[in-house]
Amino acid sequence: AQSVTQLGSHVSVSEGALVLLRCNYSSSVPPYLFWYVQYPNQGLQLLLKYTTGATLVKGINGFEAEFKKSETSFHLTKPSAHMSDAAEYFCAVSERDSNYQLIWGAGTKLIIKP
Amino acid sequence: KAGVTQTPRYLIKTRGQQVTLSCSPISGHRSVSWYQQTPGQGLQFLFEYFSETQRNKGNFPGRFSGRQFSNSRSEMNVSTLELGDSALYLCASSRQTGFGGEKLFFGSGTQLSVL
């Protein structure tokens, strides 16, 4: 069965430091991959997605993610963290074999230290 | 363009009662999905409707039901509420369904507390 694993329920970085949020998935066919962000008391918002083509995907707010098929990973990065990046981040995957139903990771809360 | 609107924003009910939550998708969007979000279980898929038909369903008991109207607005109903139903219920809309790359637009959710 499809699954999505996000390493670390909480990740803490200093302002200006590199942000790295990890996501691994299990899928037997090429998947569609997503990162969503949820700010406090709000719904989720799409950061970026991979469908086909270039494996390095750029999203909003300076975030990017790289699809690595050999590692079944889709890690999210940002070169320099900002206080406004404090939020919860969700990785999700969908594939044809599961009728494109989104499978979600458990989420990672990103904490930014001043 | 107005975003996804969920009403009410907060709801307090007691065990055994029933509740109906409403979701108005973005104009032109025909797919509406519902999710339950709790600190312990994360995001869990409830169901998806497209053109008034349920397209996908998650692993929730029959107490959870939904429907979609011809204008794409959707309602979710939970009968015989239990304490464990306390959660943030999120609605998301998209233009189409059945395509893996669809972007979901989420509402701010309805926070349901069951006492």
Side-chain angles (χ1 to χ4, degrees), chain B residues 37-50:
Chain B
Q37 186 178 25
T38 58
Q41 300 293 322
L43 268 169
Q44 293 194 283
F45 172 74
L46 281 153
F47 26 65
E48 180 198 359
Y49 287 87
F50 180 77

Side-chain angles (χ1 to χ4, degrees), chain B residues 52-73:
Chain B
E52 301 179 68
T53 301
Q54 189 179 86
R55 186 177 172 274
N56 274 321
K57 189 177 188 308
N59 295 323
F60 277 81
R63 299 186 297 108
F64 292 81
S65 63
R67 58 178 176 168
Q68 187 180 33
F69 302 97
S70 58
N71 62 357
S72 294
R73 192 177 70 84

Side-chain angles (χ1 to χ4, degrees), chain A residues 32-34 36 38 40-46 49-51 88 90 94-95 98-102 104-106, chain B residues 9-10 35 37 42-43 45 48 55-58 88 90 98-109:
Chain A
Y32 297 98
L33 298 159
F34 307 79
Y36 281 82
Q38 185 177 31
N41 300 313
Q42 293 186 30
L44 283 74
Q45 177 185 359
L46 181 68
K49 65 177 180 179
Y50 169 80
T51 52
E88 189 159 17
F90 293 89
S94 73
E95 63 176 33
S98 60
N99 207 21
Y100 296 115
Q101 181 181 319
L102 274 171
W104 296 85
Chain B
R9 184 73 177 93
Y10 300 95
Y35 291 88
Q37 186 178 25
L43 268 169
F45 172 74
E48 180 198 359
R55 186 177 172 274
N56 274 321
K57 189 177 188 308
L88 179 66
L90 291 166
F99 301 96
E102 273 301 304
K103 173 181 177 180
L104 295 182
F105 294 80
F106 283 81
S108 296

